[in-house]
Amino acid sequence: MTETFTHAKFWRCALQVNPAKYSATYRGTAGRLTEDAYNEAILQRCLRLGIGVVGVADHACVESVDRLRSCLNAHRIVVFPGFEIASTEKVHMVCLFAESTTKDQLNRYLGKLDLTDVENGVLPSKLGCLELAKTIEELRGFWYAAHATGANGLLRLQSKDGGGLTHVWKEDRHVRVAQVPGSREDLPENYRQIIDNRNPDYRRERPIVLINAKDVAKPEDLEAPSATCLIKMTQPTFDAFKVAFLDPESRVRLHSELKDEPHSELLSVSVRGGYLDGVVVELSAHLNAVIGGRGTGKSTLLECLRYALEVSPKGKQASKLSQDIVKQNLGSSGTVAVKLRSAAQHGKTFTVSRRYGEPAFVIDSDGNTSQLRPRDLLPAIEFYGQNEIYELAQDSSSRLQLLERFLPADHDAARLREQLRKRLQENQQKLVKTLVDLDEVKGQVALLPKLTEQLQGYQSLGLETKLAKTPLLARERQLEERVRQELLRVEEALSTLGDSLPDSTFLSEKSLEGLPNREHLAPMRQVLENLRRVLEQRLAELKAVLQASTAETTTHVSAWRLALQADEDELRRAVAALPNMAGKTGREVGAAFQALSQQIERIKPLGARDLALTQLRTSLLQERANLRREQSEFRSARASALQHAVAALNKRLRGKLQVKLTAERDRGPLKTFLLGCRLDGIGERRLTWVDERDELTPLGLADAIREGQAKLMSQYSLPPGTAEALTKLSYTQLMELEALELEDIVDIELNVAHGENELYRSLERLSTGQQCTAVLHMLLLDNADPLVVDQPEDNLDNAFIAERIVRELRRAKTSRQFLFSTHNANIPVFGDAEWIGIFTADDRHGSLSRDQQGSIDVPAIRTQVADILEGGRAAFMQRKEKYEF
């Protein structure tokens, strides 16, 4: 295979394909196809099924290997040639060798296996299974126990002869791989106990590795799921194949074990211009690790990626560092392009391109510029630069945001919370206005008895008769004003109706084009258009009626004003004719009488408004009581939901972390509010009681304040001065207080014990490394979008990396993409990174060529990983000797 790949992936492997003559020789059926036709049929099946690796293994015969190999190799299908033999215990063993192994070499290998009869391939060797296994290993080959639960299988024989081959099964250094006919779950329970290492009589240090490799006798056999298994390799080579079985947990899968867990992927990153000019990275969907010496460009790549995707750093220090790196290394001409697959956009592929100093452009798979932003494609992507995890661990609000990712996304609850907030705010505004208006009206109405008494004094002077029209004209003015208000109200209503006429453009022919039920939707457009037409006609008619009524009213008002002018002239003459009284001129006395009469007439109608406002106040108070109850019930339900979510999260984190959440326990907003009210005697030092009272809530405190000083002192044990000061809060402030929302408090506890023991310590009592470990545990949990971290080992305890983080990475990487820059060998090696990129640099340029990308199964990559992360082979071996491993 000439094509090169940059990261490890699962290759579908058929590891026991027999040549054309096998069926006739061993199955008693005449060959239906010539050898060439058979080979072509095998090829076509492989191409259609996506089989990239084939193991050819006839019974102790290799004569047909070359022709089948040539046919498959021509189409980039890799062939591991080999044969099937039986040990003296009649254990069937499939033996495979490197793709370049010739037929002559294979025959020489067969000669070393001491077969009973070289002409009859089914007859067993004179050597036992373990002796054969060791010989095959010496020949640099690979073997597995064929059909282990079948008639000639290793386990089947054990069950027959009472466990006579138990010693073979338990020899896990040489007996590593067994072929089974289906899934692990389909095995009979007695076999399942042995394979799962639950039977003490068959206990192994290393669990057996299971593969599916059905004995393919005819091309159709390749269709069966049990004919193939999945092996993870960068390049499908025999060396990479054998490396996979050194880490089977990560690299070997039965079809039944491969779960389809779609998630977002960063497919590739390319940089044009700047320090990383020309760098092109093709990433794995799973674990990716960037390594290299200091200053070679590892952090630069990650920060350029963050810049392209418009993900802002979370702290001031991290933000400045990120900006500096991008500016220094991308410069004014640099551009970063990121190709990605978005889970949020249903698996569609996009390219995000961003030039330094400009916004990012999102380009869809058709090459069109999308209106989507990078955040729409990867809404939950997480970036953490150097020491950024540490900053997160120190900030309680950031920890709460981190926890929210694992809490139920109840959009209805969020909407209800916002609605309650708005309704309480609207109720407060209406209530305040109503109370102000009511106070003003009541104040005016309270003046009426006094004004009436004063008017009676004027009446004793006979002014009531002489100026009888004064109160009547005042009443007329009020009636005329009311007429104008009524007409204005109708005008506003018609304007609102005009703005509310139905719009049918959303049901246009273009909008309905391609819809399966357009014939039912199209008539609705006609209904709306008819309704609009009728309403427009009626509205025009109503406006004409209003205009006529206004004109007619204007005529009457003009006539009334003329009459009013005459009456007022008459009153002025009457006032001018008044005699002087009590040291005042007649004109002064008349003017005072007129003003008093007009004031009384203006106040008299306010009695009805007083009643209406009183009823409105009662209604608003009832509405607020209902809203307060709804708010209390909502908060209670939310707290319960949070506790259930935290309990579920703790179940998943058992043995690693414990999360404790106290709903609405952050009293900071309450203290800020009270300080903002500037009450006498209420300073910061006088508010310690706010944090000390577990039962304290804003709603409960507001009610206690309304009940008075004694209630505050008894319920919250407040000193008299503090209690008295709180009673000075205004009605408006009390409403603001009871609607105040407090944040939750999150405490994270890490299990600091090793092994099976558990000892949890709160984040505040942990070392810096342990704090970062706790946060990283949560970051590794479920998320459909990638996690990118620059040097996660910074501030981390190395033992925790190996024991906790790497184990979690291996579990999580099947359902999430990770990209780490690291100097720690545990992450790429024991985490079994599918992609490792090795940066190098000269004076002014960082480099990451295609041959510097791959997995640990690529020899050149393995060597460089050892050199960079382990100090080279000599240093590694010296440490091994000192540790006495």
Side-chain angles (χ1 to χ4, degrees), residues 149-169:
T149 58
N152 294 311
L154 186 56
L155 285 177
R156 185 72 174 179
L157 284 170
Q158 290 184 110
S159 63
K160 279 183 176 180
D161 61 16
L165 292 179
T166 304
H167 70 288
V168 176
W169 177 263

Side-chain angles (χ1 to χ4, degrees), residues 184-196:
R184 185 183 296 263
E185 290 73 20
D186 290 339
L187 292 171
E189 180 57 26
N190 57 334
Y191 294 148
R192 179 76 185 271
Q193 287 186 0
I194 295 173
I195 283 172
D196 288 350

Side-chain angles (χ1 to χ4, degrees), residues 782-834:
D782 300 349
N783 189 339
D785 290 341
L787 171 65
V788 182
V789 185
D790 189 5
Q791 296 178 205
E793 69 273 10
D794 286 359
N795 301 316
L796 289 188
D797 189 318
N798 205 43
F800 273 96
I801 294 177
E803 184 179 336
R804 303 277 187 85
I805 300 305
V806 168
R807 186 185 306 169
E808 195 66 26
L809 267 178
R810 289 170 67 90
R811 180 203 64 79
K813 70 177 183 175
T814 60
S815 57
R816 188 183 186 191
Q817 185 183 42
F818 298 95
L819 174 57
F820 295 153
S821 161
T822 183
H823 293 284
N824 191 299
N826 288 308
I827 292 173
V829 178
F830 297 127
D832 192 31
E834 282 76 10

Side-chain angles (χ1 to χ4, degrees), residues 27 163 274 288 298 346 482 495 514 522 602 615 680 684 719 807:
R27 298 290 175 89
N288 302 271
K298 304 185 301 300
H346 315 293
R482 178 66 183 272
S495 176
R602 189 177 67 253
Q615 291 174 342
D680 290 338
E684 224 170 308
R807 186 185 306 169

Side-chain angles (χ1 to χ4, degrees), residues 296-314:
T296 53
K298 304 185 301 300
S299 297
T300 302
L301 176 69
L302 269 56
E303 291 301 338
C304 287
L305 175 61
R306 166 152 53 184
Y307 181 74
L309 296 176
E310 298 182 332
V311 179
S312 300
K314 296 169 181 59

Side-chain angles (χ1 to χ4, degrees), residues 421-434 619-625 627 735 738:
R421 187 191 66 79
K422 287 184 177 179
R423 288 166 64 195
L424 276 166
Q425 191 176 45
E426 290 170 359
N427 173 271
Q428 177 181 327
Q429 292 170 350
K430 291 178 183 178
L431 197 49
V432 168
K433 185 178 184 308
T434 299
S619 173
L620 289 172
L621 287 173
Q622 181 60 53
E623 179 188 54
R624 190 164 192 84
L627 287 172
M735 287 192 288
E738 65 188 8

Side-chain angles (χ1 to χ4, degrees), residues 530-733:
N530 291 339
L531 176 60
R532 183 183 182 91
R533 185 168 54 255
V534 171
L535 288 176
E536 284 175 340
Q537 293 172 354
R538 299 292 188 271
L539 183 59
E541 293 170 1
L542 290 172
K543 286 182 176 179
V545 171
L546 175 61
Q547 188 175 5
S549 299
T550 302
E552 187 178 355
T553 300
T554 301
T555 301
H556 293 310
V557 167
S558 298
W560 169 75
R561 289 190 186 280
L562 288 174
L564 179 65
Q565 184 65 41
D567 289 332
E568 287 180 339
D569 289 344
E570 182 184 340
L571 279 175
R572 279 194 291 272
R573 288 192 297 271
V575 169
L578 289 175
N580 296 339
M581 300 176 188
K584 293 183 179 180
T585 66
R587 190 180 296 277
E588 290 174 338
V589 172
F593 172 76
Q594 284 182 306
L596 186 59
S597 298
Q598 290 171 356
Q599 187 177 5
I600 290 172
E601 290 302 321
R602 189 177 67 253
I603 291 174
K604 280 181 179 179
L606 293 181
R609 181 158 172 74
D610 183 0
L611 179 60
L613 286 172
T614 301
Q615 291 174 342
L616 179 58
R617 178 189 63 183
T618 302
S619 173
L620 289 172
L621 287 173
Q622 181 60 53
E623 179 188 54
R624 190 164 192 84
N626 293 339
L627 287 172
R628 285 173 17 130
R629 175 179 55 79
E630 285 184 49
Q631 185 186 52
S632 178
E633 291 173 352
F634 171 80
R635 288 175 174 174
S636 176
R638 176 180 175 274
S640 177
L642 288 176
Q643 293 301 340
H644 280 95
V646 168
L649 180 60
N650 282 335
K651 187 175 181 180
R652 295 172 57 194
L653 290 168
R654 186 169 183 179
K656 304 166 190 170
L657 292 181
Q658 281 184 349
V659 177
K660 293 184 177 179
L661 182 143
T662 310
E664 302 174 58
R665 189 60 179 81
D666 181 3
R667 304 287 170 73
L670 178 54
K671 291 191 285 188
T672 300
F673 172 80
L674 293 175
L675 288 171
C677 292
R678 301 186 180 282
L679 300 172
D680 290 338
I682 300 293
E684 224 170 308
R685 294 182 181 179
R686 293 285 188 91
L687 289 176
T688 54
W689 56 275
V690 172
D691 291 318
E692 295 169 354
R693 307 297 189 272
D694 290 338
E695 75 284 5
L696 180 64
T697 67
L699 183 58
L701 179 60
D703 277 354
I705 291 172
R706 289 190 181 98
E707 292 190 44
Q709 180 178 346
K711 178 68 173 178
L712 287 167
M713 293 171 63
S714 63
Q715 184 166 336
Y716 300 117
S717 304
L718 298 183
T722 302
E724 183 182 4
L726 290 174
T727 60
K728 304 296 191 227
L729 287 173
S730 67
Y731 195 86
T732 302
Q733 288 172 324

Side-chain angles (χ1 to χ4, degrees), residues 163-177:
L165 292 179
T166 304
H167 70 288
V168 176
W169 177 263
K170 295 170 69 173
E171 178 50 76
D172 58 10
R173 181 179 175 185
H174 301 290
V175 181
R176 301 286 303 279
V177 186

